[in-house]
Amino acid sequence: MHATLIRPKSMLKRSSFFLGLILLVPVSASAQTFTNEFNRLRVLPETSTYIANVALADYNGDGRLDIYHAGRLYRQEDDGSFSNVLSQADINLEGNNVQGGIFADANRDGRLDLLIMDSAPGSRFYMNRTGEKFDLANSTTNLTFQTGIRGAFWWDVNLDGRLDMVAAAANGDHPVYLANESGTYTNVGDPWRAATNLPTAGLAVADYDRDGDPDFYSAHFAGQNFLMENNAARDRFGNASSFRGVNSGRVAAGAVWLDYDNDGWQDLLVHNLPQEFNTSENHLFHNDQGVFSDRAAEAGILGVNPTPNTPAAVADFDNDGWVDIYLPINNRGRLFHNNGDGTFDQRWATTVALDSVSASVAVGDVNNDGWLDIVIPHQLGTAIMINDGGGNNWATFALRGDENNRFGVGATVRVTSGGIQQMRSVTAGTGMGNQSDGLRAHFGIGQNTQIDELRIEWTDGVVEVYTDVDPNRHYTMVKNVGPNDPPGGFAQTFPLNAGFVDPADPMLRFEWEESSDEDAVLYTVHIVGPGVKLTFPNLTDPFLDLETVFLPANQIYTWSVSSTDGYSVRGTGGEYSFSFGQPDVANSTLQDPALFDFGIPNMSSGMAAFADYDVDGDLDLLVAGDADGTAIVRLFRANDASVVLSNNGGEFIFKSLEETGVTLELVREPDAAWGDFDNDGDPDLVITGLLVETGEPSTTIYINNVGTFIPVVAEGILDVWGGSAEWGDVNGDGLMDLLLSGATNKVQPYEPITDVFINNNNQSYVRADAGLPGVAFGEAAWADIDGDGDLDVALTGDRGNGDFHSGIYINNGIATGGTFSLDGTQLPELVGGSVTWGDVDADNEPDLLITGGKLGPRMLAGITEMYVNDSGIFSKHPFPFDGVVTGRAIWGDYENDGDEDIFVVGARSPLGETVGRLYRNVDGQFAAELDVKGFVHATAAFGDYNQDGDMDLIAFGIDSQGNNSVTFYINQQVPEPVPVTR
């Protein structure tokens, strides 16, 4: 790449530097194709949220495009998926009727800020503070809005070097905010005569006359549209519609500028709506050096009257060097391919197969492969149309200007390749509600293997020319410097994400990888928590030592790092959280669940277990417990229920849990387990407890016979209560054996057992001499912890007379007459708790989660601990989970990211504070995610009862008011409509 710098002595018209070009008509190519990768969104939009517009921009500086629309700020992760981080970003107030958002660097710090537009007065302006956190900044910047806003653009309106903002007011009273040196803004819309006083669909900005200042086209729902020509020397706009030849009395849905014939002048596409006698046919105003003529009919994009046309997007989708047009007609997507001869072919049927789309659309290179993609969000089905690419060549150019205009907004980029010259304007919003990625100028050059000339015309009149530019690269061009890549990507390394930091440590070191760059790199660290906002700029080393006295203990903090080479800001692509001690309040980053009442009775001292007992594809629910002295054992079936909406009688199907009426013997202090006892493909049931009729211990096996449960006599099984029952094939013969623990007497001495009962062809059971210690008032659970193919056991409880015990026991070959032996892991001696197996680190080795009460100076104190399995050797996980007694801890992938999270419910002591807390698993570390109602004598169970792809949660027990209570949380990580409960 070779450079030439042209410095004008004064601000000259851009036409002074215009290069002549030869128009070449390319050979027609096959249609460009796209693949809908909608599953990139980890959390779908709310079905109740109307998405008026969408914006694409790299707001956190990690080199990947992110997405904003009403209710969602989607940060693109390094795997290409999108996480909703709206609340994490401290954007808590969006507006009453959000029209969309526009990103731009308003405070000139190299980070993109966000204007959230509301159709009513009160649009919000958020300043990007850290790259991951935003501050509401309407008052501090004086960006206050007295009218509803439908779109906006940022540009240097008065040519003073600073970036100004013009908003598309719904009533046509368009505010013009000029930037002051202090960082505040002054609204000069009235003296600048920017108002059009007509209902406005949006604006479209371009320097269409190439005089160096921005003009805009105001598209109106009624009356004629206005071309507002900027006379920066006189500080005003003037309506030049008639003079320039863009008169139109049609009802406009919007407008967009594009140089569709590559003559170096911006042409204007106006898409219209039908209304009474007004046609909905589009305009394509061809710009002949400032004089326009309508070419829509001959170009082939007139549309069909009276079908409406919704907002358009323009881009060179096939990289052939000619700008194509995406234009939905009658709410059905259309892609018009530019033939290079002034005409377009409609190719939607063979490109993007969407029959019905929303009015929201944005274009950008989502996956950075050089091919432009289309994002079409909708609450009923978002489409992320990834361009399948092809053999043509391309290049992109992101600009870095001076300190007043960091992203070079308003600059013109021209490339010449193979005799074809193309131009793009660098934009931060165009004036419409949707924002495509205009901060990176994208060019396709077809089969040409070189860009002969790259020409950058900066807004202050400086022109830089480069020759022999290699294609198929993303370039960052720095003013007066030339090509200069941003600092390299890097990652935070300590504290670990969701890690735990002991507040007793006097010093905390924050560490990150070095960000590589040819220039010197400086780092900035941001630490945010309750009442804490710390910033440490200009760090030269990849670490920061901070005295912990500056961090209040028992809180959750987030921290992020950015690097800069003086031109570009690079973020790590996220922020890390850490627990500084155990927080009093969880830090929610996920979509809140919906609390729903299925009519499940309020209970305590019981159990809950999901299973598809009727084999219809959804999960049914067995609950049992004590309801104010009444024993409950009930089965609820998941059924489809039609819910009628108040809106025109519409309806949706909701998966409801309805009581079945199945009769099961009533027991107190119950436990139960599902398992296919008879190998017929449906789950059978075992229930233990104290019989209501006699008060005696009981163990009953029920055979599931097409939804009817038949108790069977299983010889050899002992009757127990106050323990657990677990199915498992311990001897590898394909039959379900039974692990039982608990008391065999209803009163002291309880004579507890923990034993294995071998299934003898489903006729009887043989009690194995397993060598396991008997425990009551705790649990026992199977897992193959050493990977040898047989089942081992973990247990906890009272061995009798207050002798508490917990242990992991290895199977020494019980199938051939062996026993279990204690493995030596030092577990806390507990009672009144649970043992459950999961896989915290996704290594396919079961890890142990144990809860219960431990004797201490204050009698029983709740304990919750995790022990991580490494090839059969267990070590305690350092995270301090909330300790509970008379409760339990369970595993479940709550946020559907592929690893198991943990829910803990119970009380800190038998009569102490109740706890209900969800912990989010982040690469084997944990963060307190969600606080819900806690209980004494509690139980809980995860299960995707409605098969929507996320885990739902039931919990019940005695609440802090002393009442039996049940809660059922419908997980909304995969959102679904939920009826309002009365």
Side-chain angles (χ1 to χ4, degrees), residues 217 224-228 238-248:
Y217 186 83
Q224 70 178 71
N225 303 315
F226 288 6
L227 176 60
M228 303 299 288
N239 182 10
S241 302
S242 299
F243 175 70
R244 296 296 185 180
V246 290
N247 303 58
S248 174

Side-chain angles (χ1 to χ4, degrees), residues 914 933-936 957-965:
T914 59
K933 192 173 184 179
F935 305 103
V936 183
I958 300 174
D959 63 21
S960 59
Q961 305 301 313
N963 300 316
N964 286 337
S965 180

Side-chain angles (χ1 to χ4, degrees), residues 876-897:
K876 183 182 174 183
H877 194 287
F879 189 81
F881 298 96
D882 282 281
V884 294
V885 64
T886 69
R888 65 187 296 104
I890 59 174
W891 304 80
D893 185 5
Y894 182 83
E895 83 272 40
N896 204 26
D897 66 347

Side-chain angles (χ1 to χ4, degrees), residues 726-730 739 756 772 780-795 807-812 814 820-821 823 835-839 844-849 867 869 872 874 891 900:
E726 295 281 327
W727 296 102
D729 182 8
V730 73
L739 172 67
V756 179
L772 293 169
W782 298 111
D784 180 8
I785 64 175
D786 48 10
D788 63 354
D790 56 27
L791 293 176
D792 310 299
V793 176
L795 55 82
I808 299 172
Y809 287 82
I810 304 299
N811 189 335
N812 296 320
I814 193 171
F820 290 84
S821 60
D823 83 330
V835 291
T836 50
W837 294 99
D839 189 0
N844 295 316
E845 295 182 326
D847 308 303
L848 178 65
L849 193 60
Y867 291 83
N869 185 352
F874 289 86
W891 304 80
E900 290 189 285

Side-chain angles (χ1 to χ4, degrees), residues 56 128 148 238 318 406 433 485 521 687 740 750 782 897 911:
L56 292 182
N128 189 338
D318 57 357
R406 296 277 187 152
D485 290 336
V521 173
I687 300 179
L740 289 177
Y750 294 115
W782 298 111
D897 66 347
L911 299 176

